[in-house]
Amino acid sequence: MKKFIIFTLLFSLAIVGFSVEKGKIEVPLRFDRYYSYDEVNEALKVLNKAFPELTKLEVLGQSEEGRDIYALTINNPKTGDELSKPGVYVDGNIHGNEIQAGEVCLYYANMLLTKYGENEKVTKAVDKNSHYIIPVVNVDGRFHFFEDGNTPSSNRSIRVAKDDDGDGLFDEDAPDDLDGDGSICQMRIKDPFGRYKIDSEDKRILVPVKPGEKGEYSMLGYEGIDNDNDGRINEDAEGYLDPNRNWGFNWMPPYVQRGAGNFPLSGVGLKAIDDYISDRPNIIIGYAFHNTGGMWLRVPAEKSTGIAASDIAAYDVIGKEAEKITPGYVYKPAYDLYPTYGDFDSHLFFIHGIYSFVGELFMRSQETYTVKKEGPKEDELESFMRGTRTERSREQLKFNDNVAQGELYKDWKKFEHPVYGEIEIGGWVKMSSRLPHPFMLPDLVHRNASVVFLSALQTPEISIDVFEVKEIGKNLQQVRVRLQNAKGLPSMSAYSVSSKLYPQDMLTVSGGKVVAGGKISDKRLNKVNYKEKKPEIQFLSVPSYGVVEYQFLIEGKGEITFNYESQKAKNINTSVKL
Ligand SMILES: [Ca+2]
Ligand SMILES: [Ca+2]
Ligand SMILES: [Ca+2]
Ligand SMILES: [Ca+2]
Ligand SMILES: [Zn+2]
């Protein structure tokens, strides 16, 4: 009886504790917090329930460990079928540790839905486009990032076991959360012959000793023990199969591209996402959110590939604005960082004809504790990450102490290690370094979702009109038709056209006998590139902020209809009476 009461008491305490900590998930969603894998799904269900007429929630497939991958579609059926509108695709968290990418996706959905009917621009984007939102691509990764001990940079892989050290065992020796606090921090040991000593101002920081100087400490790497007794520590963690190197375009085997997997789309969740995208040929722009460093990356991911100037210009329409919406972020081609093979964004562009961006969220340089207006440049941070930039380390720790209330860093504490004896464990915790503190999250999700939003407004808006009808012979009319794009994204990428990725847009004439038809190259000089066969069907694309004009010579009288059909832009038509 007594036992039962204690159990009940503990149980209700646990429930109260949970609800106080996390809060109920309801619309509008909160963004001063991070959502676990289960909570992301719950948030999607809550949005779907609150906006049943505008949303569709589906499980598009399962991961290696059998977790559901959810996709939320936002589409207003009153303005047309989902496949009839330019599609905007956004996903996040393909790398398991890059969790705020999921919050950006959730925020985008939350913004569109909660502001629909209230904000004019949002209403327009919901009515004009179909929005496809997959907050968590690497569902196993997000689950384990929250559930297990991790560093800010561990647990990126999808769950395909690999023998990293070639000992015949798979994933047998990952780092271990020795002190059980949920983070994998650093181990250090007192050592008079060590290469480090305590910093004069902040005793948490180790600084390298100068030649001839006496050392105090040695670093021992991430928290861990030798799980398989092979004389090495932490040598074979989960994976590594990099979900962003396993796609079809320009895939290279692991001896060229680390983490590529044995063949393209061997990741079962990735394959399911590729099928999902293939089923939605209306998608014209796609975003994949990652962390970290503050970048907007476009294709190509490998320099020798090259893309057309008009495609770069289309990217620029968004990329140059994106830099201003997210101050400090840099827009550039992905190869500028380092060459990659088999990445998702190249797959979108070169296989599916989708303009694609990587959004590298968060700049740690925004963690400032200084009277100066400008923080350090992002490229100064790498050396800081290795702990050698003492001044920056001190500032970062002050930021932790006084702005983040000590939540980003674990103070060094003694620990009895089974191999090393007395050591200390401490350092930056899991939810630091690559993730903004939750107080900075609302700004990050809003600005980055605003870039996706801007590109929805830039998807093609094509109008069609007959601008000239002239009788040029007995029973023969010369009719000129203009297609005009009011927006910055063309109806097809130049690459899609030149590589014949899918059928080109068509302008077809019905209702009369078309004797000749073709694209006008100079309307004043009456120069027309007449198409030799089937002049009533013209293949085309409508450029960024551009115009294309066609001339048809039509026999007979009556109503003539001009039909524009496009996979990615909206179909339209116009008629004229001859
Ligand atoms: Ca192994
Ligand atoms: Ca730990
Ligand atoms: Ca080992
Ligand atoms: Ca081993
Ligand atoms: Zn990433």
Side-chain angles (χ1 to χ4, degrees):
M1 188 64 190
K2 207 172 165 189
K3 247 185 186 167
F4 177 72
I5 292 171
I6 290 171
F7 176 77
T8 315
L9 197 70
L10 282 174
F11 187 66
S12 35
L13 274 176
I15 288 173
V16 169
F18 180 81
S19 61
V20 167
E21 197 192 334
K22 299 287 184 185
K24 198 165 173 267
I25 296 173
E26 51 195 4
V27 174
L29 300 176
R30 285 175 59 173
F31 289 93
D32 56 349
R33 53 161 297 176
Y34 288 103
Y35 293 86
S36 70
Y37 163 69
D38 286 323
E39 290 169 332
V40 170
N41 297 344
E42 178 62 22
L44 289 171
K45 286 172 191 166
V46 162
L47 285 174
N48 178 229
K49 208 174 160 199
F51 301 96
E53 69 288 355
L54 293 176
T55 61
K56 191 172 80 189
L57 184 61
E58 61 200 301
V59 173
L60 65 85
Q62 273 86 27
S63 65
E64 276 69 17
E65 291 187 348
R67 286 188 185 84
D68 290 335
I69 303 169
Y70 279 92
L72 183 77
T73 303
I74 299 179
N75 173 55
N76 183 1
K78 288 185 188 136
T79 58
D81 178 69
E82 118 188 22
L83 294 179
S84 74
K85 301 170 186 171
V88 178
Y89 173 94
V90 48
D91 80 25
N93 211 177
I94 193 171
H95 289 131
N97 61 321
E98 298 176 349
I99 58 165
Q100 76 268 53
E103 272 74 14
V104 171
C105 297
L106 282 180
Y107 184 87
Y108 183 64
N110 184 73
M111 175 173 96
L112 292 185
L113 295 168
T114 58
K115 290 191 176 178
Y116 182 76
E118 283 178 22
N119 176 298
E120 202 182 313
K121 285 191 170 190
V122 170
T123 307
K124 187 182 173 189
V126 172
D127 286 342
K128 172 187 169 184
N129 299 102
S130 302
H131 307 262
Y132 303 105
I133 302 161
I134 304 175
V136 185
V137 171
N138 187 348
V139 288
D140 296 336
R142 192 179 187 97
F143 175 83
H144 285 288
F145 186 76
F146 278 85
E147 205 67 15
D148 307 345
N150 275 298
T151 77
S153 300
S154 64
N155 199 64
R156 296 167 61 74
S157 178
I158 47 176
R159 295 271 154 167
V160 175
K162 223 173 168 301
D163 179 10
D164 298 331
D165 62 331
D167 65 352
L169 302 171
F170 288 71
D171 298 356
E172 77 284 357
D173 193 349
D176 307 272
D177 181 9
L178 297 176
D179 56 4
D181 66 348
S183 281
I184 301 289
C185 291
Q186 299 281 331
M187 305 190 291
R188 70 186 194 185
I189 190 164
K190 285 215 166 94
D191 180 0
F193 301 101
R195 291 174 51 228
Y196 295 94
K197 61 172 189 176
I198 297 278
D199 175 47
S200 56
E201 282 181 32
D202 192 324
K203 67 178 179 8
R204 293 171 290 188
I205 300 169
L206 292 183
V207 292
V209 291
K210 296 194 180 76
E213 218 177 8
K214 194 172 158 1
E216 294 169 339
Y217 275 96
S218 280
M219 297 297 297
L220 296 171
Y222 287 121
E223 265 180 84
I225 55 171
D226 182 4
N227 302 77
D228 62 335
N229 279 315
D230 68 348
R232 296 204 275 168
I233 291 177
N234 302 343
E235 80 282 359
D236 192 349
E238 92 290 338
Y240 188 78
L241 198 163
D242 188 329
N244 201 28
R245 305 288 183 270
N246 188 235
W247 296 82
F249 183 77
N250 233 350
W251 180 89
M252 291 284 174
Y255 56 83
V256 176
Q257 174 63 70
R258 183 179 173 256
N262 292 336
F263 55 90
L265 296 174
S266 54
V268 296
L270 306 182
K271 176 69 172 66
I273 288 175
D274 190 48
D275 291 344
Y276 177 87
I277 293 167
S278 298
D279 289 344
R280 288 157 183 81
N282 56 318
I283 296 173
I284 187 165
I285 183 138
Y287 285 82
F289 282 105
H290 291 245
N291 77 31
T292 174
M295 283 173 281
W296 294 105
L297 304 175
R298 65 156 169 88
V299 300
E302 190 272 327
K303 202 172 183 176
S304 69
T305 307
I307 61 170
S310 67
D311 282 339
I312 294 174
Y315 269 113
D316 286 354
V317 167
I318 292 158
K320 288 184 175 171
E321 299 299 319
E323 282 188 322
K324 294 166 199 155
I325 295 171
T326 51
Y329 285 36
V330 177
Y331 158 60
K332 58 184 178 183
Y335 65 72
D336 216 37
L337 209 56
Y338 42 74
T340 48
Y341 303 92
D343 64 296
F344 175 65
D345 278 61
S346 295
H347 187 88
L348 285 187
F349 183 83
F350 293 104
I351 303 287
H352 293 294
I354 297 168
Y355 288 107
S356 56
F357 280 96
V358 166
E360 290 285 1
L361 301 163
F362 188 53
M363 302 168 74
R364 206 179 181 190
S365 54
Q366 290 165 340
E367 294 182 343
T368 55
Y369 195 76
T370 171
V371 289
K372 280 181 299 181
K373 284 222 166 61
E374 293 282 313
K377 291 206 174 67
E378 200 65 12
D379 57 12
E380 294 171 1
L381 289 174
E382 203 189 318
S383 53
F384 154 71
M385 291 286 270
R386 293 194 297 264
T388 50
R389 286 188 63 89
T390 313
E391 209 173 303
R392 180 64 185 143
S393 299
R394 288 173 189 151
E395 182 187 350
Q396 210 79 52
L397 282 166
K398 284 269 195 297
F399 175 88
N400 166 68
D401 299 342
N402 299 333
V403 187
Q405 288 72 48
E407 290 171 1
L408 302 176
Y409 192 89
K410 186 183 173 65
D411 284 347
W412 296 90
K413 278 211 183 78
K414 285 202 172 78
F415 184 85
E416 197 58 35
H417 191 278
V419 175
Y420 296 130
E422 189 185 296
I423 61 161
E424 295 169 20
I425 292 174
W428 296 101
V429 302
K430 173 166 80 175
M431 304 296 275
S432 75
S433 311
R434 299 170 68 113
L435 299 169
H437 186 277
F439 89 85
M440 300 166 85
L441 189 58
D443 183 77
L444 178 139
V445 294
H446 180 81
R447 285 183 185 274
N448 284 280
S450 295
V451 173
V452 182
F453 184 75
L454 171 106
S455 61
L457 295 179
Q458 284 294 359
T459 55
E461 275 174 34
I462 316 284
S463 57
I464 185 168
D465 64 294
V466 173
F467 67 99
E468 200 183 291
V469 180
K470 208 156 85 181
E471 182 141 21
I472 56 166
K474 210 177 164 201
N475 203 26
L476 190 64
Q477 315 276 337
Q478 175 185 296
V479 184
R480 289 179 162 184
V481 183
R482 178 184 294 137
L483 287 156
Q484 187 164 7
N485 184 358
K487 295 296 175 178
L489 288 177
S491 67
M492 290 184 75
S493 68
Y495 185 83
S496 302
V497 176
S498 65
S499 303
K500 301 182 167 64
L501 291 188
Y502 58 88
Q504 253 187 283
D505 296 354
M506 286 192 294
L507 176 63
T508 52
V509 187
S510 57
K513 185 170 188 286
V514 179
V515 178
K519 190 178 177 185
I520 302 174
S521 60
D522 190 318
K523 71 180 159 202
R524 286 163 200 93
L525 299 176
N526 197 24
K527 286 190 178 161
V528 179
N529 304 317
Y530 284 113
K531 187 169 167 246
E532 219 174 291
K533 288 179 180 156
K534 286 192 177 265
E536 66 279 12
I537 302 174
Q538 301 287 333
F539 295 101
L540 59 104
S541 65
V542 192
S544 161
Y545 298 119
V547 166
V548 283
E549 292 167 335
Y550 282 78
Q551 178 163 303
F552 297 96
L553 306 181
I554 302 170
E555 255 180 32
K557 300 270 176 202
E559 178 149 287
I560 309 291
T561 301
F562 300 91
N563 226 344
Y564 168 75
E565 282 174 275
S566 170
Q567 277 202 11
K568 299 193 189 294
K570 200 160 184 161
N571 297 348
I572 40 165
N573 61 66
T574 188
S575 295
V576 67
K577 221 168 171 82
L578 298 183

